[in-house]
Amino acid sequence: MRGPAAAAALLLATAVASCSAHGTGSPRGAGRSGPHLAVTGAYVPEPPMADMAAGYFTIANTGRASDQLTAVTSDLAASVTLHSTTPTGAMKKEPTLPVPAGGRLALRIGGDHLMLMGLKRKPRVGDTVTFVLRFAASPPITVKAPVKPATYRPGQ
């Protein structure tokens, strides 16, 4: 009696653990019907100044729900802020940046971007800067961004 009962209990425990480990959603609601984010093209141009830099990348959302980039931290900077660029070319600090469902958020020169303030050291070409991106609905994403020459433009 003990053998079959123990085997049945073990089988049931394995099935329950398997179901909870392979659920379709994350604790923050980013499942199959929610946002599904991927980051590409990350880079930081070598800054001309020692105390601030900019960061760029693209976040693609292949999910059915939108999300928002709400915060970014970096190993290189005391703070990282989200910015947009107005039609007049002025920078504007933003509390969040939208990542539309089935679309993308492109951080680029002359548009939305990150500002890294209070640099711990001036990054040089060949260095790597780590960003941790935080979202309203999706789990955090860690991004490794290479430092490129100040004249670098993606796709050129």
Side-chain angles (χ1 to χ4, degrees):
M1 244 352 195
R2 274 185 151 184
L10 180 60
L11 183 60
L12 179 61
T14 303
V16 169
S18 176
C19 287
S20 64
H22 299 334
T24 59
S26 75
R28 295 180 70 192
R32 301 192 109 201
S33 63
H36 186 264
L37 308 179
V39 177
T40 59
Y43 74 99
V44 172
E46 184 175 35
M49 301 163 55
D51 61 340
M52 71 175 77
Y56 306 100
F57 48 79
T58 298
I59 303 171
N61 181 358
T62 58
R64 296 184 209 152
S66 63
D67 206 342
Q68 293 180 35
L69 178 61
T70 59
V72 178
T73 56
S74 174
D75 62 341
L76 181 66
S79 67
V80 180
T81 54
L82 310 173
H83 285 261
S84 62
T85 303
T86 68
T88 63
M91 288 192 311
K92 180 182 174 198
K93 187 176 174 183
E94 300 288 351
T96 64
L97 292 173
V99 186
R104 59 186 49 215
L105 168 62
L107 302 184
R108 58 182 174 73
I109 294 173
D112 296 335
H113 60 281
L114 303 179
M115 288 302 303
L116 293 78
M117 308 299 288
L119 298 180
K120 297 172 184 172
R121 60 178 173 71
K122 183 178 176 181
R124 303 282 182 200
V125 172
D127 291 349
T128 300
V129 178
T130 302
F131 294 113
V132 178
L133 314 181
R134 290 186 171 71
F135 301 91
S138 300
I141 297 175
T142 299
V143 177
K144 302 285 188 181
V147 178
K148 301 284 190 177
T151 56
Y152 174 77
R153 299 295 179 268
Q156 293 181 350

